[in-house]
Amino acid sequence: MKEKLYTIPIQDAFAQDCECPVCAMYQKLEDNAIHYTIGPGASYMEEDIRAQTDEQGFCQKHLKDLYAYPNKIGLAMMLKTHMDKTIKELEKAAEAPLPGPNSMFKKNAKPSSPVIDFIEKQEKKCFVCGYITQTFESYMMTIFYLYEREEDFRQQFAQSKGFCTSHYKSLFCLAPKYLNKKYLEPFLRKLNEIYLENFKRVRDDVEWFICKNDYRYQEEPWKNARDSLQRALTKTGSIIVQEEG
């Protein structure tokens, strides 16, 4: 298979022995994004990047990831200036007239307030998510690019262990946009086949894991059930559990 700089991350992910190559791609992007944000020579020291982190902040998950990174002073600096901006914006929003009580005919109506509007917009923003999204979208396009042009990749795709439910949906939705008529139907048929076949495989492993925790099956072999919960988390929730030790 021919390698180009922009195809290497996709080819590397599909070469892994994992339950969802797209999850593997995303996790690598996420690790790179955290490192870019707060690692050595981190971008937060640049004025234009700091302006973005001040305005966007971070989602709950990526705040936890940033906190786990060994650069507490860097995180403190970003949070301090982000909090400064939040205070400034909310002080301005709080000057607006306060919402009154709902009438008896509008019990489920949401109060209208610049305070609520600001916080709801803020909850949809995350600097790390935005950084990932730009590259992830191009990765998804490259999957279809390789599928149309590389027989080796089509075989690699067919021999994969399938995908998590979320990325199965993404591939299914995007295929009509990026694949030509010749490859669209074969791709979708193969996608359905490998998703369901491998989802059932992991389901069966989880079932055997349950059996192995029943005293009646204690002497039976574990088969492939020992790590079935971790793999089921990937299939159902796009979660990759890192092996300990």
Side-chain angles (χ1 to χ4, degrees), residues 28-46 48-50 52-53 58 66 69 71 78 127-128 130-132 134:
K28 181 66 174 177
L29 274 176
E30 196 167 44
D31 292 344
N32 291 343
I34 294 296
H35 186 79
Y36 171 79
T37 303
I38 203 171
S43 61
Y44 70 86
M45 297 302 293
E46 300 173 16
D48 59 331
I49 300 299
R50 180 64 72 83
Q52 292 179 52
T53 60
F58 305 96
L66 290 167
Y69 202 93
N71 183 3
M78 284 189 289
F127 175 78
V128 176
Y131 182 88
I132 294 169
Q134 292 178 347

Side-chain angles (χ1 to χ4, degrees), residues 4-245:
K4 298 179 181 178
L5 188 61
Y6 60 90
T7 67
I8 291 174
I10 287 78
Q11 292 166 324
D12 287 348
F14 274 84
Q16 292 185 37
D17 181 21
C18 63
E19 295 293 349
C20 180
V22 182
C23 281
M25 286 162 39
Y26 190 92
Q27 184 181 53
K28 181 66 174 177
L29 274 176
E30 196 167 44
D31 292 344
N32 291 343
I34 294 296
H35 186 79
Y36 171 79
T37 303
I38 203 171
S43 61
Y44 70 86
M45 297 302 293
E46 300 173 16
E47 187 175 343
D48 59 331
I49 300 299
R50 180 64 72 83
Q52 292 179 52
T53 60
D54 288 351
E55 194 274 329
Q56 296 174 22
F58 305 96
C59 67
Q60 186 181 64
K61 180 187 186 306
H62 290 136
L63 270 176
K64 291 179 180 178
D65 291 341
L66 290 167
Y67 182 76
Y69 202 93
N71 183 3
K72 298 297 187 285
I73 187 62
L75 179 59
M77 291 169 66
M78 284 189 289
L79 289 180
K80 193 271 180 184
T81 52
H82 170 64
M83 292 168 77
D84 286 343
K85 183 170 180 60
T86 300
I87 290 168
K88 182 179 179 180
E89 295 294 332
L90 282 175
E91 283 181 338
K92 186 189 304 180
E95 294 175 357
L98 299 175
N102 291 334
S103 73
M104 62 181 295
F105 301 107
K106 297 182 179 180
K107 289 296 183 183
N108 295 323
K110 185 184 76 173
S112 177
S113 167
V115 170
I116 295 172
D117 292 342
F118 173 79
I119 295 174
E120 287 187 343
K121 288 179 182 178
Q122 197 66 49
E123 289 172 339
K124 297 176 183 177
K125 298 176 182 178
C126 173
F127 175 78
V128 176
C129 286
Y131 182 88
I132 294 169
T133 297
Q134 292 178 347
T135 306
F136 186 69
E137 289 176 354
S138 69
Y139 279 9
M140 296 296 281
M141 291 170 58
T142 305
I143 290 174
F144 300 111
Y145 171 88
L146 286 169
Y147 194 88
E148 284 190 344
R149 290 164 178 80
E150 299 283 351
E151 173 61 27
D152 287 348
F153 182 77
R154 289 194 288 274
Q155 293 179 11
Q156 195 174 39
F157 183 90
Q159 294 166 5
S160 73
K161 291 185 174 180
F163 304 92
C164 69
T165 301
S166 177
H167 292 137
Y168 165 58
K169 173 193 171 186
S170 297
L171 290 166
F172 201 99
C173 289
L174 291 172
K177 180 177 180 181
Y178 293 112
L179 287 176
N180 62 36
K181 186 176 180 180
K182 176 181 177 181
Y183 290 107
L184 177 58
E185 184 175 336
F187 175 88
L188 291 175
R189 290 188 182 281
K190 181 55 67 175
L191 176 64
N192 286 339
E193 176 187 326
I194 60 176
Y195 168 77
L196 288 168
E197 177 182 300
N198 287 284
F199 200 87
K200 291 174 183 177
R201 170 181 54 80
V202 175
R203 183 275 316 273
D204 292 346
D205 289 344
V206 171
E207 183 177 41
W208 188 242
F209 179 90
I210 296 169
C211 289
K212 279 296 295 174
N213 283 272
D214 185 324
Y215 74 93
R216 293 172 295 179
Y217 296 88
Q218 287 181 356
E219 301 304 317
E220 297 291 331
W222 272 92
K223 301 179 184 179
N224 293 319
R226 288 188 186 277
D227 66 344
S228 60
L229 283 181
Q230 293 97 314
R231 291 184 287 111
L233 287 175
T234 300
K235 288 298 191 191
T236 61
S238 308
I239 298 167
I240 297 179
V241 179
Q242 299 289 350
E243 294 292 334
E244 296 182 1

